[in-house]
Amino acid sequence: MSRILSAIQPSGTLTIGNYLGALKNFVELQDEHDCLFFIVDQHAITVPQDRLELRKRIKELTALYLACGLDPNKATIFIQSEVPGHTQLAWMLTCNTSMGELERMTQYKDKVQKQTAKGQGISAGLFMYPVLMAADILLYDVDFVPVGDDQKQHVELTRDLAERFNNRFGETFKVPEVWIPKRGARVMSLQEPTKKMSKSDDNPRNFVLMTDEPNVIRKKIKSAVTDSDGVIAYDRQNKPGISNLLDIYSAFTSESIESLVARYEGCGYGQFKSDLAEIVVAELEPIQQRMKELLKSNVIDEVLDAGAKRANQLAFKKVKKVEHKMGLGRKK
Ligand code: TYM
């Protein structure tokens, strides 16, 4: 059975971009693979966080994982900081990574711009972020990493680091493949459809949150920017707004874009948006309900305890192997 691993940062409430690019696919993949899905709180602190807010979001993200249908009997669900092997391996990989490789990461460059615009400094952690992500993956001998399009470059770096380490120190890491969904891999902002939908965006009209009330969802989708020619067609370049909505519709329903375009021929944007809003509400409302129930129960702690136990067993072995290959500690 092949092994799949992915993770999400508790850096804000998840958007439907995170859901379509990642979480929804995790649920589908868990039936046929050995899965590890976790919450990367150590990645979240690469930019300043309020400690109580962060704690709350970690718990909420676990509840969301479960509410979306992740089954702890099929997948190992845990918090990154509860498995010390992640940072231990990250340091050993850091010493085998060049500054130049990290400087080329587009997400780092974007985040530097964002932090600078906010008048905030750039932590060394933000720079090292992709190495910690490589450690997350390489600890577990993973076959596939399901992520949205924006994480592709990080998984490619992970592959490079694994190959380099294997060449230098002998076979140690499995080289993982990236797995990008056919639909919903890059959900764009509702008001500025040429930029990615992001949970850390300052303008709430740019995204739909997984926890938005039904009427808020309807309002945000109905006021999404489109264009003035009123034709429902897929053209990312010239019609980014309606193309994004088509992509979202297709990712929620699995109906192909071609079929949607044919079905909505001659219809106005109003009808299309209103149908899409109902589809999104129908999928998110039960998830929100389950999430509320889970947050009141003990299930979250039980799942996280069991998940950390299994992840630690796997991670410990790999850390010891890498330390041995690099000559750290004593021979016992
Ligand atoms: P994060 O927390 O930013 O996003 C979580 C997942 O959501 C996807 N995603 C999107 N997909 C489609 N459209 C969007 N607008 C959109 N925005 C985000 C992301 O691609 C991701 O799959 N570095 C990672 C977390 C991470 C990780 C890992 C992932 C840490 N270690 C190991 C996989 C394996 C991140 O910041 O994701």
Side-chain angles (χ1 to χ4, degrees), residues 234-267:
Y234 194 81
D235 178 347
R236 280 267 184 192
Q237 197 76 28
N238 300 309
K239 293 165 72 68
I242 193 69
S243 300
N244 186 39
L245 297 182
L246 276 164
D247 197 33
I248 295 173
Y249 199 136
S250 170
F252 266 101
T253 59
S254 299
E255 182 171 350
S256 72
I257 306 249
E258 298 74 53
S259 157
L260 286 170
V261 168
R263 201 153 63 74
Y264 279 94
E265 198 188 333
C267 264

PDB file of all heavy atoms in Angstrom, residues 234-267:
ATOM      1  N   TYR A 234     -14.644  29.348 -20.193  1.00  0.00           N
ATOM      2  CA  TYR A 234     -13.407  29.175 -19.426  1.00  0.00           C
ATOM      3  C   TYR A 234     -12.231  29.758 -20.187  1.00  0.00           C
ATOM      4  O   TYR A 234     -11.847  29.272 -21.245  1.00  0.00           O
ATOM      5  CB  TYR A 234     -13.178  27.684 -19.145  1.00  0.00           C
ATOM      6  CG  TYR A 234     -12.127  27.434 -18.100  1.00  0.00           C
ATOM      7  CD1 TYR A 234     -12.418  27.528 -16.746  1.00  0.00           C
ATOM      8  CD2 TYR A 234     -10.816  27.105 -18.459  1.00  0.00           C
ATOM      9  CE1 TYR A 234     -11.459  27.312 -15.773  1.00  0.00           C
ATOM     10  CE2 TYR A 234      -9.851  26.884 -17.490  1.00  0.00           C
ATOM     11  CZ  TYR A 234     -10.178  26.986 -16.150  1.00  0.00           C
ATOM     12  OH  TYR A 234      -9.214  26.782 -15.188  1.00  0.00           O
ATOM     13  N   ASP A 235     -11.684  30.843 -19.649  1.00  0.00           N
ATOM     14  CA  ASP A 235     -10.538  31.487 -20.276  1.00  0.00           C
ATOM     15  C   ASP A 235      -9.785  32.214 -19.152  1.00  0.00           C
ATOM     16  O   ASP A 235     -10.101  33.343 -18.810  1.00  0.00           O
ATOM     17  CB  ASP A 235     -11.045  32.476 -21.344  1.00  0.00           C
ATOM     18  CG  ASP A 235      -9.918  33.231 -22.032  1.00  0.00           C
ATOM     19  OD1 ASP A 235      -8.769  33.182 -21.536  1.00  0.00           O
ATOM     20  OD2 ASP A 235     -10.193  33.875 -23.064  1.00  0.00           O
ATOM     21  N   ARG A 236      -8.824  31.508 -18.567  1.00  0.00           N
ATOM     22  CA  ARG A 236      -8.100  32.026 -17.388  1.00  0.00           C
ATOM     23  C   ARG A 236      -7.446  33.379 -17.645  1.00  0.00           C
ATOM     24  O   ARG A 236      -7.375  34.219 -16.776  1.00  0.00           O
ATOM     25  CB  ARG A 236      -7.008  31.038 -16.955  1.00  0.00           C
ATOM     26  CG  ARG A 236      -7.550  29.892 -16.146  1.00  0.00           C
ATOM     27  CD  ARG A 236      -7.467  30.213 -14.650  1.00  0.00           C
ATOM     28  NE  ARG A 236      -7.910  29.081 -13.835  1.00  0.00           N
ATOM     29  CZ  ARG A 236      -8.156  29.160 -12.528  1.00  0.00           C
ATOM     30  NH1 ARG A 236      -8.041  30.299 -11.896  1.00  0.00           N
ATOM     31  NH2 ARG A 236      -8.535  28.110 -11.860  1.00  0.00           N
ATOM     32  N   GLN A 237      -6.989  33.544 -18.878  1.00  0.00           N
ATOM     33  CA  GLN A 237      -6.268  34.767 -19.229  1.00  0.00           C
ATOM     34  C   GLN A 237      -7.197  35.984 -19.315  1.00  0.00           C
ATOM     35  O   GLN A 237      -6.985  36.996 -18.676  1.00  0.00           O
ATOM     36  CB  GLN A 237      -5.589  34.531 -20.596  1.00  0.00           C
ATOM     37  CG  GLN A 237      -4.485  35.505 -20.925  1.00  0.00           C
ATOM     38  CD  GLN A 237      -3.214  35.190 -20.131  1.00  0.00           C
ATOM     39  OE1 GLN A 237      -2.988  34.037 -19.773  1.00  0.00           O
ATOM     40  NE2 GLN A 237      -2.429  36.205 -19.846  1.00  0.00           N
ATOM     41  N   ASN A 238      -8.250  35.832 -20.115  1.00  0.00           N
ATOM     42  CA  ASN A 238      -9.108  36.982 -20.414  1.00  0.00           C
ATOM     43  C   ASN A 238     -10.360  37.071 -19.555  1.00  0.00           C
ATOM     44  O   ASN A 238     -10.983  38.128 -19.487  1.00  0.00           O
ATOM     45  CB  ASN A 238      -9.513  36.953 -21.895  1.00  0.00           C
ATOM     46  CG  ASN A 238      -8.291  37.004 -22.785  1.00  0.00           C
ATOM     47  OD1 ASN A 238      -7.436  37.878 -22.618  1.00  0.00           O
ATOM     48  ND2 ASN A 238      -8.162  36.032 -23.680  1.00  0.00           N
ATOM     49  N   LYS A 239     -10.769  35.932 -18.959  1.00  0.00           N
ATOM     50  CA  LYS A 239     -11.959  35.947 -18.107  1.00  0.00           C
ATOM     51  C   LYS A 239     -11.633  35.247 -16.778  1.00  0.00           C
ATOM     52  O   LYS A 239     -12.198  34.194 -16.456  1.00  0.00           O
ATOM     53  CB  LYS A 239     -13.115  35.219 -18.828  1.00  0.00           C
ATOM     54  CG  LYS A 239     -13.612  35.959 -20.083  1.00  0.00           C
ATOM     55  CD  LYS A 239     -14.478  35.066 -20.951  1.00  0.00           C
ATOM     56  CE  LYS A 239     -15.844  34.795 -20.355  1.00  0.00           C
ATOM     57  NZ  LYS A 239     -16.733  35.946 -20.281  1.00  0.00           N
ATOM     58  N   PRO A 240     -10.695  35.829 -16.015  1.00  0.00           N
ATOM     59  CA  PRO A 240     -10.222  35.123 -14.804  1.00  0.00           C
ATOM     60  C   PRO A 240     -11.313  34.916 -13.749  1.00  0.00           C
ATOM     61  O   PRO A 240     -11.321  33.889 -13.064  1.00  0.00           O
ATOM     62  CB  PRO A 240      -9.098  36.025 -14.277  1.00  0.00           C
ATOM     63  CG  PRO A 240      -9.339  37.376 -14.868  1.00  0.00           C
ATOM     64  CD  PRO A 240     -10.000  37.127 -16.199  1.00  0.00           C
ATOM     65  N   GLY A 241     -12.257  35.860 -13.642  1.00  0.00           N
ATOM     66  CA  GLY A 241     -13.282  35.763 -12.599  1.00  0.00           C
ATOM     67  C   GLY A 241     -14.211  34.585 -12.824  1.00  0.00           C
ATOM     68  O   GLY A 241     -14.332  33.696 -11.964  1.00  0.00           O
ATOM     69  N   ILE A 242     -14.839  34.534 -13.983  1.00  0.00           N
ATOM     70  CA  ILE A 242     -15.802  33.453 -14.237  1.00  0.00           C
ATOM     71  C   ILE A 242     -15.072  32.104 -14.369  1.00  0.00           C
ATOM     72  O   ILE A 242     -15.592  31.053 -13.965  1.00  0.00           O
ATOM     73  CB  ILE A 242     -16.708  33.764 -15.471  1.00  0.00           C
ATOM     74  CG1 ILE A 242     -17.895  32.801 -15.542  1.00  0.00           C
ATOM     75  CG2 ILE A 242     -15.948  33.758 -16.770  1.00  0.00           C
ATOM     76  CD1 ILE A 242     -18.920  32.983 -14.452  1.00  0.00           C
ATOM     77  N   SER A 243     -13.841  32.134 -14.872  1.00  0.00           N
ATOM     78  CA  SER A 243     -13.062  30.885 -14.984  1.00  0.00           C
ATOM     79  C   SER A 243     -12.800  30.311 -13.594  1.00  0.00           C
ATOM     80  O   SER A 243     -12.889  29.096 -13.382  1.00  0.00           O
ATOM     81  CB  SER A 243     -11.728  31.133 -15.680  1.00  0.00           C
ATOM     82  OG  SER A 243     -11.958  31.646 -16.965  1.00  0.00           O
ATOM     83  N   ASN A 244     -12.495  31.198 -12.645  1.00  0.00           N
ATOM     84  CA  ASN A 244     -12.261  30.743 -11.270  1.00  0.00           C
ATOM     85  C   ASN A 244     -13.536  30.131 -10.694  1.00  0.00           C
ATOM     86  O   ASN A 244     -13.501  29.070 -10.065  1.00  0.00           O
ATOM     87  CB  ASN A 244     -11.795  31.941 -10.428  1.00  0.00           C
ATOM     88  CG  ASN A 244     -11.400  31.545  -9.029  1.00  0.00           C
ATOM     89  OD1 ASN A 244     -10.797  30.491  -8.815  1.00  0.00           O
ATOM     90  ND2 ASN A 244     -11.731  32.380  -8.051  1.00  0.00           N
ATOM     91  N   LEU A 245     -14.681  30.778 -10.949  1.00  0.00           N
ATOM     92  CA  LEU A 245     -15.945  30.245 -10.416  1.00  0.00           C
ATOM     93  C   LEU A 245     -16.283  28.904 -11.071  1.00  0.00           C
ATOM     94  O   LEU A 245     -16.794  27.991 -10.407  1.00  0.00           O
ATOM     95  CB  LEU A 245     -17.078  31.253 -10.612  1.00  0.00           C
ATOM     96  CG  LEU A 245     -16.927  32.592  -9.865  1.00  0.00           C
ATOM     97  CD1 LEU A 245     -18.139  33.490 -10.115  1.00  0.00           C
ATOM     98  CD2 LEU A 245     -16.747  32.387  -8.353  1.00  0.00           C
ATOM     99  N   LEU A 246     -15.957  28.778 -12.354  1.00  0.00           N
ATOM    100  CA  LEU A 246     -16.183  27.492 -13.032  1.00  0.00           C
ATOM    101  C   LEU A 246     -15.314  26.406 -12.397  1.00  0.00           C
ATOM    102  O   LEU A 246     -15.760  25.274 -12.175  1.00  0.00           O
ATOM    103  CB  LEU A 246     -15.839  27.611 -14.520  1.00  0.00           C
ATOM    104  CG  LEU A 246     -16.939  28.159 -15.428  1.00  0.00           C
ATOM    105  CD1 LEU A 246     -16.356  28.587 -16.780  1.00  0.00           C
ATOM    106  CD2 LEU A 246     -18.045  27.121 -15.651  1.00  0.00           C
ATOM    107  N   ASP A 247     -14.081  26.769 -12.099  1.00  0.00           N
ATOM    108  CA  ASP A 247     -13.150  25.812 -11.497  1.00  0.00           C
ATOM    109  C   ASP A 247     -13.663  25.380 -10.117  1.00  0.00           C
ATOM    110  O   ASP A 247     -13.640  24.188  -9.772  1.00  0.00           O
ATOM    111  CB  ASP A 247     -11.777  26.480 -11.391  1.00  0.00           C
ATOM    112  CG  ASP A 247     -10.672  25.467 -11.169  1.00  0.00           C
ATOM    113  OD1 ASP A 247     -10.783  24.342 -11.688  1.00  0.00           O
ATOM    114  OD2 ASP A 247      -9.699  25.795 -10.463  1.00  0.00           O
ATOM    115  N   ILE A 248     -14.151  26.357  -9.354  1.00  0.00           N
ATOM    116  CA  ILE A 248     -14.671  26.042  -8.010  1.00  0.00           C
ATOM    117  C   ILE A 248     -15.903  25.130  -8.129  1.00  0.00           C
ATOM    118  O   ILE A 248     -16.015  24.105  -7.450  1.00  0.00           O
ATOM    119  CB  ILE A 248     -15.036  27.343  -7.240  1.00  0.00           C
ATOM    120  CG1 ILE A 248     -13.768  28.175  -6.988  1.00  0.00           C
ATOM    121  CG2 ILE A 248     -15.760  27.040  -5.937  1.00  0.00           C
ATOM    122  CD1 ILE A 248     -14.016  29.563  -6.382  1.00  0.00           C
ATOM    123  N   TYR A 249     -16.791  25.480  -9.048  1.00  0.00           N
ATOM    124  CA  TYR A 249     -18.015  24.690  -9.273  1.00  0.00           C
ATOM    125  C   TYR A 249     -17.625  23.251  -9.639  1.00  0.00           C
ATOM    126  O   TYR A 249     -18.132  22.277  -9.062  1.00  0.00           O
ATOM    127  CB  TYR A 249     -18.816  25.341 -10.413  1.00  0.00           C
ATOM    128  CG  TYR A 249     -20.277  24.961 -10.515  1.00  0.00           C
ATOM    129  CD1 TYR A 249     -21.255  25.934 -10.744  1.00  0.00           C
ATOM    130  CD2 TYR A 249     -20.694  23.643 -10.438  1.00  0.00           C
ATOM    131  CE1 TYR A 249     -22.602  25.614 -10.872  1.00  0.00           C
ATOM    132  CE2 TYR A 249     -22.041  23.304 -10.563  1.00  0.00           C
ATOM    133  CZ  TYR A 249     -22.988  24.295 -10.777  1.00  0.00           C
ATOM    134  OH  TYR A 249     -24.305  23.957 -10.898  1.00  0.00           O
ATOM    135  N   SER A 250     -16.700  23.136 -10.567  1.00  0.00           N
ATOM    136  CA  SER A 250     -16.280  21.824 -11.038  1.00  0.00           C
ATOM    137  C   SER A 250     -15.621  21.019  -9.909  1.00  0.00           C
ATOM    138  O   SER A 250     -15.869  19.813  -9.769  1.00  0.00           O
ATOM    139  CB  SER A 250     -15.312  22.017 -12.215  1.00  0.00           C
ATOM    140  OG  SER A 250     -14.714  20.815 -12.544  1.00  0.00           O
ATOM    141  N   ALA A 251     -14.813  21.686  -9.095  1.00  0.00           N
ATOM    142  CA  ALA A 251     -14.128  20.973  -8.006  1.00  0.00           C
ATOM    143  C   ALA A 251     -15.121  20.521  -6.930  1.00  0.00           C
ATOM    144  O   ALA A 251     -14.960  19.453  -6.345  1.00  0.00           O
ATOM    145  CB  ALA A 251     -13.052  21.866  -7.390  1.00  0.00           C
ATOM    146  N   PHE A 252     -16.164  21.306  -6.685  1.00  0.00           N
ATOM    147  CA  PHE A 252     -17.159  20.895  -5.683  1.00  0.00           C
ATOM    148  C   PHE A 252     -18.017  19.733  -6.169  1.00  0.00           C
ATOM    149  O   PHE A 252     -18.417  18.878  -5.389  1.00  0.00           O
ATOM    150  CB  PHE A 252     -18.062  22.072  -5.292  1.00  0.00           C
ATOM    151  CG  PHE A 252     -17.575  22.817  -4.072  1.00  0.00           C
ATOM    152  CD1 PHE A 252     -16.899  24.016  -4.206  1.00  0.00           C
ATOM    153  CD2 PHE A 252     -17.773  22.303  -2.791  1.00  0.00           C
ATOM    154  CE1 PHE A 252     -16.429  24.700  -3.079  1.00  0.00           C
ATOM    155  CE2 PHE A 252     -17.310  22.976  -1.662  1.00  0.00           C
ATOM    156  CZ  PHE A 252     -16.629  24.177  -1.809  1.00  0.00           C
ATOM    157  N   THR A 253     -18.337  19.733  -7.470  1.00  0.00           N
ATOM    158  CA  THR A 253     -19.325  18.762  -7.953  1.00  0.00           C
ATOM    159  C   THR A 253     -18.729  17.619  -8.770  1.00  0.00           C
ATOM    160  O   THR A 253     -19.435  16.659  -9.075  1.00  0.00           O
ATOM    161  CB  THR A 253     -20.344  19.480  -8.866  1.00  0.00           C
ATOM    162  OG1 THR A 253     -19.605  20.071  -9.953  1.00  0.00           O
ATOM    163  CG2 THR A 253     -21.114  20.561  -8.122  1.00  0.00           C
ATOM    164  N   SER A 254     -17.464  17.763  -9.186  1.00  0.00           N
ATOM    165  CA  SER A 254     -16.798  16.820 -10.102  1.00  0.00           C
ATOM    166  C   SER A 254     -17.386  16.872 -11.515  1.00  0.00           C
ATOM    167  O   SER A 254     -17.048  16.023 -12.346  1.00  0.00           O
ATOM    168  CB  SER A 254     -16.840  15.368  -9.605  1.00  0.00           C
ATOM    169  OG  SER A 254     -16.181  15.280  -8.387  1.00  0.00           O
ATOM    170  N   GLU A 255     -18.280  17.801 -11.785  1.00  0.00           N
ATOM    171  CA  GLU A 255     -18.773  17.948 -13.163  1.00  0.00           C
ATOM    172  C   GLU A 255     -17.682  18.677 -13.963  1.00  0.00           C
ATOM    173  O   GLU A 255     -17.081  19.625 -13.468  1.00  0.00           O
ATOM    174  CB  GLU A 255     -20.072  18.784 -13.157  1.00  0.00           C
ATOM    175  CG  GLU A 255     -20.665  18.931 -14.550  1.00  0.00           C
ATOM    176  CD  GLU A 255     -22.069  19.577 -14.540  1.00  0.00           C
ATOM    177  OE1 GLU A 255     -22.672  19.739 -13.457  1.00  0.00           O
ATOM    178  OE2 GLU A 255     -22.540  19.912 -15.646  1.00  0.00           O
ATOM    179  N   SER A 256     -17.429  18.229 -15.196  1.00  0.00           N
ATOM    180  CA  SER A 256     -16.321  18.842 -15.943  1.00  0.00           C
ATOM    181  C   SER A 256     -16.662  20.278 -16.347  1.00  0.00           C
ATOM    182  O   SER A 256     -17.844  20.641 -16.457  1.00  0.00           O
ATOM    183  CB  SER A 256     -16.011  18.016 -17.185  1.00  0.00           C
ATOM    184  OG  SER A 256     -17.056  18.191 -18.116  1.00  0.00           O
ATOM    185  N   ILE A 257     -15.634  21.072 -16.575  1.00  0.00           N
ATOM    186  CA  ILE A 257     -15.833  22.465 -16.987  1.00  0.00           C
ATOM    187  C   ILE A 257     -16.616  22.502 -18.308  1.00  0.00           C
ATOM    188  O   ILE A 257     -17.550  23.290 -18.459  1.00  0.00           O
ATOM    189  CB  ILE A 257     -14.464  23.172 -17.151  1.00  0.00           C
ATOM    190  CG1 ILE A 257     -13.636  23.039 -15.877  1.00  0.00           C
ATOM    191  CG2 ILE A 257     -14.628  24.602 -17.667  1.00  0.00           C
ATOM    192  CD1 ILE A 257     -13.374  24.238 -15.054  1.00  0.00           C
ATOM    193  N   GLU A 258     -16.267  21.601 -19.245  1.00  0.00           N
ATOM    194  CA  GLU A 258     -16.948  21.577 -20.550  1.00  0.00           C
ATOM    195  C   GLU A 258     -18.452  21.369 -20.359  1.00  0.00           C
ATOM    196  O   GLU A 258     -19.272  22.031 -20.975  1.00  0.00           O
ATOM    197  CB  GLU A 258     -16.425  20.436 -21.459  1.00  0.00           C
ATOM    198  CG  GLU A 258     -14.946  20.515 -21.823  1.00  0.00           C
ATOM    199  CD  GLU A 258     -14.035  20.130 -20.661  1.00  0.00           C
ATOM    200  OE1 GLU A 258     -14.232  19.047 -20.090  1.00  0.00           O
ATOM    201  OE2 GLU A 258     -13.147  20.935 -20.294  1.00  0.00           O
ATOM    202  N   SER A 259     -18.788  20.433 -19.492  1.00  0.00           N
ATOM    203  CA  SER A 259     -20.199  20.145 -19.269  1.00  0.00           C
ATOM    204  C   SER A 259     -20.897  21.350 -18.618  1.00  0.00           C
ATOM    205  O   SER A 259     -22.029  21.690 -18.990  1.00  0.00           O
ATOM    206  CB  SER A 259     -20.309  18.879 -18.419  1.00  0.00           C
ATOM    207  OG  SER A 259     -21.515  18.839 -17.748  1.00  0.00           O
ATOM    208  N   LEU A 260     -20.217  22.012 -17.691  1.00  0.00           N
ATOM    209  CA  LEU A 260     -20.820  23.197 -17.044  1.00  0.00           C
ATOM    210  C   LEU A 260     -21.048  24.306 -18.063  1.00  0.00           C
ATOM    211  O   LEU A 260     -22.114  24.930 -18.095  1.00  0.00           O
ATOM    212  CB  LEU A 260     -19.906  23.714 -15.931  1.00  0.00           C
ATOM    213  CG  LEU A 260     -19.870  22.882 -14.651  1.00  0.00           C
ATOM    214  CD1 LEU A 260     -18.746  23.364 -13.725  1.00  0.00           C
ATOM    215  CD2 LEU A 260     -21.205  22.982 -13.918  1.00  0.00           C
ATOM    216  N   VAL A 261     -20.036  24.526 -18.911  1.00  0.00           N
ATOM    217  CA  VAL A 261     -20.144  25.595 -19.914  1.00  0.00           C
ATOM    218  C   VAL A 261     -21.328  25.299 -20.841  1.00  0.00           C
ATOM    219  O   VAL A 261     -22.146  26.175 -21.149  1.00  0.00           O
ATOM    220  CB  VAL A 261     -18.818  25.728 -20.708  1.00  0.00           C
ATOM    221  CG1 VAL A 261     -18.992  26.602 -21.931  1.00  0.00           C
ATOM    222  CG2 VAL A 261     -17.718  26.281 -19.806  1.00  0.00           C
ATOM    223  N   ALA A 262     -21.470  24.037 -21.232  1.00  0.00           N
ATOM    224  CA  ALA A 262     -22.573  23.665 -22.133  1.00  0.00           C
ATOM    225  C   ALA A 262     -23.917  23.841 -21.424  1.00  0.00           C
ATOM    226  O   ALA A 262     -24.879  24.366 -21.978  1.00  0.00           O
ATOM    227  CB  ALA A 262     -22.388  22.226 -22.601  1.00  0.00           C
ATOM    228  N   ARG A 263     -23.973  23.416 -20.176  1.00  0.00           N
ATOM    229  CA  ARG A 263     -25.235  23.458 -19.427  1.00  0.00           C
ATOM    230  C   ARG A 263     -25.683  24.891 -19.131  1.00  0.00           C
ATOM    231  O   ARG A 263     -26.867  25.173 -19.086  1.00  0.00           O
ATOM    232  CB  ARG A 263     -25.051  22.681 -18.118  1.00  0.00           C
ATOM    233  CG  ARG A 263     -26.314  22.216 -17.485  1.00  0.00           C
ATOM    234  CD  ARG A 263     -26.096  20.986 -16.646  1.00  0.00           C
ATOM    235  NE  ARG A 263     -25.209  21.167 -15.508  1.00  0.00           N
ATOM    236  CZ  ARG A 263     -25.529  21.808 -14.403  1.00  0.00           C
ATOM    237  NH1 ARG A 263     -26.717  22.384 -14.286  1.00  0.00           N
ATOM    238  NH2 ARG A 263     -24.682  21.890 -13.409  1.00  0.00           N
ATOM    239  N   TYR A 264     -24.736  25.786 -18.940  1.00  0.00           N
ATOM    240  CA  TYR A 264     -25.091  27.171 -18.603  1.00  0.00           C
ATOM    241  C   TYR A 264     -25.067  28.095 -19.818  1.00  0.00           C
ATOM    242  O   TYR A 264     -25.118  29.308 -19.655  1.00  0.00           O
ATOM    243  CB  TYR A 264     -24.167  27.714 -17.500  1.00  0.00           C
ATOM    244  CG  TYR A 264     -24.590  27.254 -16.119  1.00  0.00           C
ATOM    245  CD1 TYR A 264     -24.027  26.124 -15.550  1.00  0.00           C
ATOM    246  CD2 TYR A 264     -25.573  27.931 -15.403  1.00  0.00           C
ATOM    247  CE1 TYR A 264     -24.429  25.681 -14.291  1.00  0.00           C
ATOM    248  CE2 TYR A 264     -25.974  27.501 -14.143  1.00  0.00           C
ATOM    249  CZ  TYR A 264     -25.403  26.378 -13.597  1.00  0.00           C
ATOM    250  OH  TYR A 264     -25.806  25.937 -12.359  1.00  0.00           O
ATOM    251  N   GLU A 265     -25.020  27.532 -21.019  1.00  0.00           N
ATOM    252  CA  GLU A 265     -24.987  28.371 -22.215  1.00  0.00           C
ATOM    253  C   GLU A 265     -26.231  29.272 -22.251  1.00  0.00           C
ATOM    254  O   GLU A 265     -27.355  28.810 -22.039  1.00  0.00           O
ATOM    255  CB  GLU A 265     -24.935  27.496 -23.466  1.00  0.00           C
ATOM    256  CG  GLU A 265     -24.455  28.297 -24.660  1.00  0.00           C
ATOM    257  CD  GLU A 265     -24.579  27.517 -25.966  1.00  0.00           C
ATOM    258  OE1 GLU A 265     -24.537  26.268 -25.933  1.00  0.00           O
ATOM    259  OE2 GLU A 265     -24.722  28.187 -26.998  1.00  0.00           O
ATOM    260  N   GLY A 266     -26.027  30.557 -22.467  1.00  0.00           N
ATOM    261  CA  GLY A 266     -27.155  31.491 -22.551  1.00  0.00           C
ATOM    262  C   GLY A 266     -27.647  31.982 -21.201  1.00  0.00           C
ATOM    263  O   GLY A 266     -28.516  32.855 -21.120  1.00  0.00           O
ATOM    264  N   CYS A 267     -27.133  31.390 -20.111  1.00  0.00           N
ATOM    265  CA  CYS A 267     -27.545  31.820 -18.763  1.00  0.00           C
ATOM    266  C   CYS A 267     -26.700  33.010 -18.337  1.00  0.00           C
ATOM    267  O   CYS A 267     -25.554  33.128 -18.722  1.00  0.00           O
ATOM    268  CB  CYS A 267     -27.252  30.713 -17.764  1.00  0.00           C
ATOM    269  SG  CYS A 267     -28.630  29.679 -17.404  1.00  0.00           S
TER     270      CYS A 267
END
